[in-house]
Amino acid sequence: MTVYNFCAGPAMLPPEVMNKAQQEFLNWQNLGVSVMEMSHRSAPFLAMVKECEASLRRLMAISDEFDVLFMHGGGRGQFAAVPLNLHLDNAPGVYIENGIWSTGATQEGARFTTVEGINVRNDDNGQFDIKPVNQWLLPENASFIHYCPNETIDGIEIFDVPKHKTAPIVADMSSMILSREINVDDFDVIYAGAQKNIGPSGLCIVIIRKTLLAREGLPCPSILDYKIEAKQGSMYNTPPTFSWYLAAEVFKYLEANGGVQAMEVHNKNKAAILYDYIDGSDFYSNKVAKHCRSLMNVPFWLKDDNLNAEFLAQAAQNNLVALEGHRLVGGMRASIYNAMPIEGINALVSFMEKFAKEHS
Ligand SMILES: *Cc1c(COP(=O)(O)O)cnc(C)c1O
């Protein structure tokens, strides 16, 4: 029995990786102990993390101008770490607000620094829509520009990258890292909680331009301090070792399967199948403008909300699980990260067709 798990996060991981982790769970590299039972400073673990970083650098073509940090605290840890580390006196943290997560980042930033929120939603036509990036009015004076390229809850993705003359561009890529090709040089800080496209929760990857480590910032807990983590090889304290190991396995798996380029083709195919079906149906709808539809998170609504509970129950009976939309937007949401196979999309569409026919 194959269950297709559409959870937004923690999300499904590649079955190949999960099977390998199971096989070596009690006895990693023939050491007679589990990877989670050994010192993070032992030679085998250090060799693993070195290769993990090298693998991520190859996958994303990350140059030597960047450090890669493996931190604690997920995406939200970075909502605090970004303003604490990047704050400049007399310059606001500028937050692009394009959905629920980026607005959450603004609120957290406001606890530590002066923030300027810029709403770039353009929902006047009754759709979830985003103003084109070149029409965003960014102030000249900013400590940093923070935005979220993929809004996991709203199902909105921004494919262009904002530019600024002086301020670093910071991107919360928690739900789209490694899903399509990006040019890392267009950014200054990229961060991503692991539990959507990388591995188990607890780990957060931060890719940071080395020149930014010179910023003094604000007094900051050592565990969130980029300078300290960079200096200590992300081992200021005990890192989330099992999550780190699993991330390394996912990277290996991605490299063996065509890398990010292949993932992008795979993800665009999957999203097209689902959106095309929804657009062609008069039973389901998606409210996001076409140019900014997420490749990773596909929200959809039934024409009658009273059918939601029955839809979810029948979907689960058909081994299609975790389709309930986020409580803030309602409806359904299919999260279709890298690990979701095309078979899962086909199974979902077949079920949706059948359900619509029976309830029209
Ligand atoms: C899931 C998510 C987060 C929060 O991650 P946590 O690890 O739970 O803190 C932040 N930003 C985005 C875009 C997300 O999808």
Side-chain angles (χ1 to χ4, degrees):
M1 177 187 84
T2 305
V3 170
Y4 293 112
N5 173 12
F6 295 92
C7 189
M12 76 168 290
L13 293 167
E16 293 87 341
V17 171
M18 296 298 273
N19 282 322
K20 180 163 185 275
Q22 184 183 43
Q23 277 160 29
E24 57 195 30
F25 189 66
L26 296 176
N27 182 10
W28 186 56
Q29 295 188 355
N30 266 331
L31 296 165
V33 296
S34 174
V35 66
M36 72 167 87
E37 298 172 312
M38 62 194 305
S39 169
H40 51 293
R41 302 191 192 280
S42 63
F45 195 85
L46 290 175
M48 185 281 288
V49 305
K50 193 167 168 216
E51 174 51 24
C52 178
E53 179 178 332
S55 180
L56 183 65
R57 283 183 180 276
R58 289 190 295 268
L59 282 165
M60 294 181 69
I62 303 169
S63 81
D64 287 344
E65 287 178 24
F66 292 84
D67 263 319
V68 180
L69 310 178
F70 293 81
M71 295 179 72
H72 293 271
R76 280 192 188 271
Q78 295 304 311
F79 288 5
V82 165
L84 289 171
N85 284 279
L86 301 186
H87 165 92
L88 294 176
D89 290 338
N90 306 315
V94 171
Y95 286 84
I96 304 302
E97 297 185 330
N98 50 298
I100 289 162
W101 281 113
S102 54
T103 303
T106 318
Q107 287 162 357
E108 182 71 1
R111 301 184 65 196
F112 308 110
T113 190
T114 308
V115 301
E116 182 172 338
I118 299 186
N119 181 0
V120 298
R121 288 284 286 263
N122 184 20
D123 291 4
D124 295 346
N125 297 325
Q127 286 189 304
F128 294 0
D129 202 353
I130 298 288
K131 288 183 197 141
V133 169
N134 60 14
Q135 290 174 20
W136 296 358
L137 296 172
L138 304 177
E140 270 185 36
N141 182 37
S143 289
F144 55 85
I145 312 286
H146 178 281
Y147 85 116
C148 180
N150 186 61
E151 282 284 0
T152 320
I153 296 171
D154 309 74
I156 292 175
E157 188 156 355
I158 297 171
F159 295 92
D160 288 337
V161 180
K163 284 190 177 56
H164 195 274
K165 261 196 227 121
T166 53
I169 304 290
V170 181
D172 173 2
M173 296 199 183
S174 294
S175 53
M176 56 67 74
I177 193 165
L178 297 165
S179 68
R180 59 177 166 86
E181 292 195 284
I182 58 153
N183 181 3
V184 172
D185 293 329
D186 290 345
F187 301 86
D188 300 284
V189 179
I190 290 169
Y191 67 86
Q195 69 272 23
K196 279 126 191 184
N197 234 353
I198 294 175
S201 61
L203 178 72
C204 186
I205 289 178
V206 179
I207 302 164
I208 179 166
R209 199 177 282 281
K210 285 175 181 167
T211 50
L212 283 174
L213 296 173
R215 283 204 185 179
E216 204 175 319
L218 294 165
C220 176
S222 302
I223 197 174
L224 291 179
D225 190 314
Y226 295 150
K227 286 183 281 300
I228 292 176
E229 288 291 2
K231 205 164 140 210
Q232 304 269 350
S234 303
M235 292 195 188
Y236 160 71
N237 74 330
T238 312
T241 54
F242 191 75
S243 299
W244 202 340
Y245 147 81
L246 214 84
E249 291 298 326
V250 168
F251 298 159
K252 239 187 261 179
Y253 167 83
L254 291 177
E255 286 202 271
N257 286 277
V260 177
Q261 208 177 2
M263 282 304 125
E264 178 167 341
V265 173
H266 169 64
N267 290 326
K268 284 183 171 164
N269 278 339
K270 290 185 302 185
I273 293 170
L274 194 47
Y275 285 117
D276 283 352
Y277 170 67
I278 292 168
D279 287 344
S281 148
D282 47 22
F283 190 87
Y284 304 99
S285 62
N286 171 277
K287 299 179 186 173
V288 183
K290 283 194 176 159
H291 71 99
C292 56
R293 283 178 169 180
S294 171
L295 296 173
M296 296 283 97
N297 309 95
V298 182
F300 61 91
W301 287 264
L302 278 57
K303 72 173 181 196
D304 177 2
D305 273 340
N306 293 318
L307 292 170
N308 286 354
E310 193 182 340
F311 180 90
L312 289 166
Q314 285 194 24
Q317 278 164 16
N318 285 274
N319 299 326
L320 304 166
V321 303
L323 284 162
E324 187 167 13
H326 192 280
R327 62 188 188 285
L328 292 175
V329 298
M332 304 296 149
R333 172 175 51 170
S335 292
I336 54 174
Y337 302 114
N338 286 348
M340 176 60 65
I342 201 120
E343 291 80 6
I345 307 296
N346 291 333
L348 174 60
V349 167
S350 303
F351 168 74
M352 287 169 71
E353 266 175 342
K354 186 163 155 279
F355 189 89
K357 218 177 267 164
E358 288 167 6
H359 295 84
S360 289

